[in-house]
Amino acid sequence: MTGNSDLHADDIGQVVGVSHHDGSIEGINFGKDSVDINISSSYGEKNTVCLVGVRYFIANGLREGNVVDRMYLWDAEKAPDSIMKRVMQALSIDLPNVMQERASKNSKIFLMECSYGAEIFSVLHHGIQLKGPGSVSDEP
């Protein structure tokens, strides 16, 4: 795969279109308003999940060997209340700011759940993209 492709979520918010289940996080890179999460699938395919338009980001409990379980993406206005509460706690965002993000038509909530209780949360204004195989390393 060359270039970037937008990733989408199914009806319950699970991200589809990238092999990530039972994969591992190989690195996280920060840009001006973006975050790249480098992951390897359980069969060795390397991908980069690019969070675009990042307003808030936190990675809790990550350690070597974390296994990626699920990734979710919701429009903030449609995210389950339980998720919005977790976002508020994880990111230390007060209720007025959460309500402002939720009311914004372009705000999205990203969640990556990993083994050992680790998780990545982000509030973003654009979406997520996938950089395909080979994007984590230039080695063959």
Side-chain angles (χ1 to χ4, degrees), residues 5-128:
S5 58
D6 290 336
L7 290 174
H8 303 282
D10 63 16
D11 292 343
I12 62 168
Q14 281 194 302
V15 173
V16 295
V18 59
S19 298
H20 63 276
H21 185 75
D22 288 342
S24 61
I25 297 173
E26 294 195 355
I28 299 174
N29 300 308
F30 298 89
K32 182 178 176 182
D33 65 349
S34 64
V35 176
D36 291 351
I37 305 169
N38 302 322
I39 59 175
S40 289
S41 69
S42 58
Y43 51 90
E45 182 179 272
K46 297 178 185 287
N47 291 295
T48 300
V49 175
C50 308
L51 308 180
V52 184
V54 173
R55 296 201 13 93
Y56 301 94
F57 177 90
I58 193 163
N60 287 322
L62 292 181
R63 54 183 159 171
E64 187 175 358
N66 276 122
V67 175
V68 178
D69 186 17
R70 292 181 201 93
M71 285 191 288
Y72 295 93
L73 182 68
W74 296 275
D75 290 333
E77 61 189 8
K78 297 178 183 173
D81 289 341
S82 61
I83 293 298
M84 294 307 290
K85 287 179 186 174
R86 286 174 62 190
V87 166
M88 196 165 78
Q89 291 172 339
L91 295 168
S92 299
I93 304 173
D94 59 14
L95 186 59
N97 285 332
V98 167
M99 297 309 291
Q100 181 180 0
E101 292 296 340
R102 196 162 205 181
S104 174
K105 295 293 182 197
N106 60 348
S107 285
K108 298 189 182 306
I109 305 298
F110 173 81
L111 167 62
M112 179 183 284
E113 294 179 331
C114 302
S115 58
Y116 310 117
E119 57 191 10
I120 295 173
F121 275 109
S122 185
V123 176
L124 45 140
H125 276 193
H126 293 292
I128 59 176

